[in-house]
């Protein structure tokens, strides 16, 4: 099979999975009307996504600015820590936040000690706090790239012109923020719009139900497929609109090229140094405290782990490795095809960004229901959906490397008449081993923490580790849930590290 035909096959399969399932839910939802509660869920989804995007971007600005212009002990560790929430299973992050802000958490104990009334994390503000914790590091990384992309010569020129901090911000930093912030905010908005696990754990009830949660309730508890289909169709429209808007708004800053000397950005002294130190301290506490709480709580409850932990861990690992292999293979085919100039493939690779796991799950449920039991296909369907949803991230990792590889090696391969398996074995895989390993680790980590489709389909025999954690927490067995979460996060980071390390070893 040629690369062109393989890429077209993958693109067609993606279109069937995403658009086909969306069409299936749309056809089944035609006769169903949305209730007042469903429209309230739509308003809640949009509100929490907008607030999460707003606070994530506003809080990320001082953190990214300080990291960009200050050099301090532990700077590299803090930058690495900003990547942790992206790999951290969402349900583990939520348990960490419950250990800090929950009824018996650290914050409520401190409030009680000083005689103040306690707080609850459940509801809109809890969902927003969790989303900010999960997405603030992502925006910090995006803004940090924006700051480091401003040529150092521009800052030196500003110094030679004796420009103050306000003028530097107005003429150099503000244009970068205008270019990067809208795209970053819309990225967070899209992620939060299709968020399920956070709302499942911290939301619920008539005033804190998102569209994703309403779909889950319609299928799992009310068994009302037409209503779930109508909600799924609406969710697909919302996600697609947000992704299209993000693509239209993203614009380059246009600073031009510098001398690429890698010089440090000049940092002001005086009271601004103290402000920057406070910002770094708060960011480090915000990121490390929930993770530390999960580790501490998990270690104390290891003796309460249920016997179902080992089978659940094996299922999660098998699904993660299979979805990772599928995602990386498909992304490699698409990236090579785009690097060779095949048109229309890049659009197919970004299509999953507009999809929701529950929308795809609902569509597959409606398609498969007449022939097979949904429970029997819970794990294969979860693997397929996880591979599809992680594909855009892996594709973006591979595409620049694939373009560089073909630019450097395509003439030599053509002169040797090397193509197909020979080209894959001797040129492509060895030279793309590093991004392939990182992409495989990323896809596996995202799949390990998934609590979306599996919650729709799974029975007791298909229970994965995130689902076990959610069920333990739902039964108020918080110590056992924390220990299972610790096992989950340990397994997730181990698999990521092994795959990423494997890619680097092959490349070396």
């Amino acid at each position: 099979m040629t690369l062109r035909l393989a890429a077209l096959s993958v693109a067609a399969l993606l279109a069937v999975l995403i658009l086909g399932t969306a069409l299936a839910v749309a056809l089944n939802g035609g006769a169903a009307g949305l209730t007042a509660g469903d429209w309230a869920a739509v308003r809640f989804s949009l509100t929490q996504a907008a607030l999460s995007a707003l606070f994530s971007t506003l809080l990320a600005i001082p953190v990214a600015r300080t990291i960009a212009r200050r050099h301090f002990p532990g700077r590299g560790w803090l930058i690495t820590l900003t990547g942790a929430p992206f790999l951290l299973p969402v349900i583990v992050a939520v348990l960490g936040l419950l250990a800090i802000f929950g009824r018996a958490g650290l914050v409520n104990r401190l409030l009680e000690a000083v005689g103040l009334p306690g707080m609850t994390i459940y509801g809109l503000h809890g969902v927003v706090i969790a989303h900010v914790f999960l997405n603030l590091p992502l925006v910090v990384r995006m803004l940090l790239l924006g700051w480091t992309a401003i040529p150092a010569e521009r800052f030196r020129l500003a110094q030679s012109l004796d420009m103050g901090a306000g003028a530097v911000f107005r003429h150099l930093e503000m244009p970068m923020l205008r270019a990067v912030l809208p795209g970053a905010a819309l990225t967070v908005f899209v992620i939060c719009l299709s968020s399920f696990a956070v709302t499942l754990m911290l939301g619920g009830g008539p005033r804190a139900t998102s569209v994703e949660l309403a779909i889950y309730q319609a299928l799992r508890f009310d068994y009302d497929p037409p209503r779930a289909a109508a909600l799924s169709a609406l969710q697909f429209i919302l996600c697609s609109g947000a992704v299209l808007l993000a693509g239209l708004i993203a614009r380059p800053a246009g600073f031009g090229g510098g001398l690429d000397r890698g010089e440090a950005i000049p940092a002001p002294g005086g009271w601004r140094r103290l402000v920057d130190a406070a910002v770094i301290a708060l960011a480090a506490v915000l990121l490390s405290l929930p993770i530390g709480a999960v580790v501490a709580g998990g270690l104390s409850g290891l003796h309460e782990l249920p016997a179902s932990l080992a089978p659940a861990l094996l299922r999660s690992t098998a699904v993660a490795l299979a979805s990772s292999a599928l995602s990386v293979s498909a992304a490699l085919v698409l990236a090579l095809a785009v690097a060779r100039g095949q048109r229309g493939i890049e659009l197919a690779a970004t299509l999953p960004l507009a999809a929701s796991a529950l929308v795809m799950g609902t569509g597959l449920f409606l398609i498969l229901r007449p022939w097979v039991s949904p429970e029997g296909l819970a794990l294969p369907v979860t693997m397929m959906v996880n591979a599809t949803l992680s594909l855009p991230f892996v594709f973006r990792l591979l595409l620049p490397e694939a373009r560089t590889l073909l630019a450097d090696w395509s003439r030599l391969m053509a002169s040797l008449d090397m193509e197909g398996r020979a080209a894959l074995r001797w040129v492509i895989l060895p030279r793309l081993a590093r991004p392939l390993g990182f992409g495989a680790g990323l896809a596996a980590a995202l799949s390990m923490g998934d609590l979306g489709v599996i919650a729709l389909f799974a029975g007791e025999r298909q229970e994965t580790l995130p689902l076990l954690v959610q069920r333990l927490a739902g039964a108020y067995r918080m110590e056992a849930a924390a220990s299972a979460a610790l096992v989950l996060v340990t397994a997730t980071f181990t698999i990521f590290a092994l795959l990423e390390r494997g890619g680097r070893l092959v490349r070396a």
Side-chain angles (χ1 to χ4, degrees), residues 314-350:
L314 287 176
R315 290 186 203 105
S316 289
T317 304
V319 170
L321 293 178
S323 65
S324 172
L326 198 59
S327 178
V328 168
S329 302
L332 177 61
V333 170
L334 296 179
L336 290 173
V338 172
R340 287 188 175 179
Q342 194 168 342
R343 295 182 178 178
I345 299 300
E346 191 164 358
L347 176 63
T350 55

Side-chain angles (χ1 to χ4, degrees), residues 153-356:
E153 291 80 8
R154 306 293 188 273
F155 288 101
R156 285 211 311 277
L157 178 61
Q159 276 186 321
S160 66
L161 295 175
D162 199 22
M163 293 172 63
V168 170
F169 181 78
R170 192 166 55 253
H171 293 291
L172 292 181
E173 296 172 312
M174 183 58 82
M176 182 277 293
L177 290 175
R178 278 202 299 264
V180 177
L181 272 184
L186 271 170
T187 300
V188 176
F189 182 84
V190 171
I191 292 173
C192 296
L193 197 60
S194 58
S195 170
F196 171 67
V198 169
T199 318
L200 179 67
M201 295 287 288
L202 300 177
R207 300 178 62 182
T209 295
S210 65
V211 176
E212 294 275 301
L213 190 56
I215 295 169
Y216 171 73
Q217 291 169 342
L219 278 180
R220 192 75 183 179
F221 299 110
D222 303 333
Y223 197 69
D224 189 353
R227 178 168 157 257
L231 286 165
S232 299
L234 188 58
Q235 178 75 342
F236 183 79
I237 293 171
L238 290 175
C239 290
S240 303
V243 169
L244 288 175
L245 191 58
L248 291 174
I249 284 181
R251 288 288 182 273
F255 284 107
L259 297 178
D260 198 23
R261 291 178 177 172
E263 296 180 6
I265 299 174
W271 61 271
R272 292 186 181 88
R273 184 189 298 271
L274 295 177
V275 172
D276 285 352
V279 168
I280 291 299
L282 286 174
V285 169
L286 175 65
L287 291 175
S288 60
L289 205 56
I291 299 174
V294 169
V295 174
L299 290 175
S300 65
L302 287 175
H303 61 283
E304 295 194 15
L305 283 173
S308 56
L309 177 82
L313 176 60
L314 287 176
R315 290 186 203 105
S316 289
T317 304
V319 170
L321 293 178
S323 65
S324 172
L326 198 59
S327 178
V328 168
S329 302
L332 177 61
V333 170
L334 296 179
L336 290 173
V338 172
R340 287 188 175 179
Q342 194 168 342
R343 295 182 178 178
I345 299 300
E346 191 164 358
L347 176 63
T350 55
L351 194 59
L353 291 175
S356 153

Side-chain angles (χ1 to χ4, degrees), residues 308-474:
S308 56
L309 177 82
L313 176 60
L314 287 176
R315 290 186 203 105
S316 289
T317 304
V319 170
L321 293 178
S323 65
S324 172
L326 198 59
S327 178
V328 168
S329 302
L332 177 61
V333 170
L334 296 179
L336 290 173
V338 172
R340 287 188 175 179
Q342 194 168 342
R343 295 182 178 178
I345 299 300
E346 191 164 358
L347 176 63
T350 55
L351 194 59
L353 291 175
S356 153
L358 287 192
V359 172
M360 292 177 65
T362 305
L364 290 170
F365 171 82
L366 294 170
I367 293 170
L368 298 174
R369 184 181 52 167
W371 293 283
V372 293
S373 164
E375 284 190 7
L377 292 175
L379 296 179
V381 167
T382 300
M383 181 268 294
M384 183 74 73
V385 172
N386 288 348
T388 303
L389 294 181
S390 63
L391 189 145
F393 303 104
V394 183
F395 171 77
R396 287 296 167 193
L397 283 172
L398 291 176
L399 184 57
E401 302 283 345
R403 282 176 168 152
T404 303
L405 181 144
L406 291 182
D408 294 342
W409 292 84
S410 58
R411 288 185 179 178
L412 179 61
M413 288 191 291
S415 66
L416 296 175
D417 197 22
M418 182 185 290
E419 57 184 16
R421 292 183 179 178
L424 196 66
R425 178 180 179 184
W426 297 109
V427 178
I428 296 174
L429 289 182
R431 277 153 187 81
L432 292 184
R434 187 169 295 177
L436 282 171
F438 185 81
L442 180 65
L446 293 176
S447 179
M448 279 293 290
D450 173 69
L451 182 63
V453 177
I454 194 68
L456 273 181
F457 287 95
E460 293 293 333
R461 294 183 176 180
Q462 296 82 30
E463 190 177 60
T464 58
L465 196 46
L467 188 56
L468 174 64
V469 174
Q470 188 269 326
R471 287 175 175 172
L472 289 172

